[in-house]
Amino acid sequence: MKWPAFFATVILATLLTGCATPPPKDPENLCSIFQENRSWYTAAKDTREKWGVPVHVPLAMMYQESSFKHNAAPPMEYFLGFIPTGRASSAYGYAQAKTMTWDDYVRETGNSWSSRSNFSDAMDFMGWFIYKTHKINGVSKWDARNQYLNYHEGWGGYKRKTYNQKAWLIKVAKKVDDRSKRYAGQYRQCQEDLDSSWLWRLFFG
């Protein structure tokens, strides 16, 4: 590789790495998450306004799915312990959205330039999914437990109650619900400060 091309490759890689937002330092506190990443609050509010989804529910689900890692993916599987055969599923990104479901989202919303590794797009995707869960299975947008069960099992699986055969999943869904309630309480404490900051309004609207 010639030197100019080499340096161009290094610079591009550096820029792409710099664009990735690291996970929040205190993911257990919703106020800290938004104070650290103000653009995430914009995305959360946009999702609330567009899909009628409360701020705390998709954030609690996203924490469980990816720990807020933009490039999260299922572990690689191996044949004979050392030959890579691929990942367990196509889930990827902040929302751990599977390729087929993401394609459905893109087709229905027209968000063709969206990316699963972009926080705003991932939030919009989760808002869309929670909205559709409410429409299809009648689950409240505030019901983090049953929203998560739909998210994990799919709308058909939830109708068939496949989660009843997965004790571990019931426990995880309760964990998501508990975190959602904590997030909601925290948000009530800092929402006014987040919304009233003149710098916030100036730069993020």
Side-chain angles (χ1 to χ4, degrees):
M1 181 182 291
K2 294 182 179 180
W3 283 108
F6 172 77
F7 284 122
T9 301
V10 171
I11 291 170
L12 179 60
T14 302
L15 289 173
L16 290 174
T17 303
C19 290
T21 303
K25 295 179 178 129
D26 186 6
E28 296 292 345
N29 189 302
L30 193 66
C31 296
S32 296
I33 292 171
F34 289 147
Q35 286 161 359
E36 183 178 347
N37 298 301
R38 289 302 188 109
S39 62
W40 285 18
Y41 186 42
T42 298
K45 291 206 304 180
D46 288 346
T47 298
R48 181 181 63 198
E49 292 168 9
K50 182 176 180 180
W51 301 108
V53 174
V55 165
H56 55 278
V57 172
L59 265 293
M61 292 168 61
M62 186 180 287
Y63 180 98
Q64 182 62 44
E65 289 296 283
S66 70
S67 298
F68 300 118
K69 296 174 183 175
H70 75 283
N71 59 350
M76 183 67 71
E77 295 186 335
Y78 295 87
F79 176 67
L80 299 178
F82 65 94
I83 302 173
T85 59
R87 300 188 185 278
S89 82
S90 61
Y92 181 75
Y94 283 111
Q96 285 295 277
K98 294 181 180 178
T99 300
M100 286 183 62
T101 312
W102 186 268
D103 289 345
D104 288 341
Y105 156 75
V106 170
R107 184 174 60 254
E108 290 189 16
T109 63
N111 193 10
S112 56
W113 293 100
S114 59
S115 168
R116 286 180 283 180
S117 60
N118 178 280
F119 183 85
S120 296
D121 292 336
M123 279 295 294
D124 192 63
F125 168 81
M126 297 190 85
W128 168 82
F129 195 98
I130 292 169
Y131 171 84
K132 292 204 64 169
T133 295
H134 174 63
K135 288 289 186 181
I136 294 170
N137 283 333
V139 176
S140 168
K141 299 171 188 176
W142 279 259
D143 183 352
R145 177 186 182 275
N146 287 295
Q147 282 287 346
Y148 184 76
L149 290 174
N150 274 268
Y151 200 74
H152 195 278
E153 298 296 277
W155 298 308
Y158 180 82
K159 283 181 179 179
R160 297 191 302 274
K161 298 184 179 180
T162 55
Y163 51 85
N164 282 334
Q165 282 74 53
K166 301 174 182 179
W168 63 269
L169 179 58
I170 300 295
K171 292 179 181 178
V172 172
K174 183 182 184 305
K175 185 190 299 185
V176 172
D177 190 53
D178 290 344
R179 178 171 289 111
S180 174
K181 290 172 182 173
R182 288 198 302 274
Y183 276 177
Q186 292 162 355
Y187 184 51
R188 284 193 292 270
Q189 299 298 316
C190 65
Q191 181 179 4
E192 186 176 351
D193 289 338
L194 287 170
D195 289 336
S196 65
S197 168
W198 71 271
L199 283 173
W200 167 258
R201 294 203 305 268
L202 178 63
F203 292 105
F204 299 103

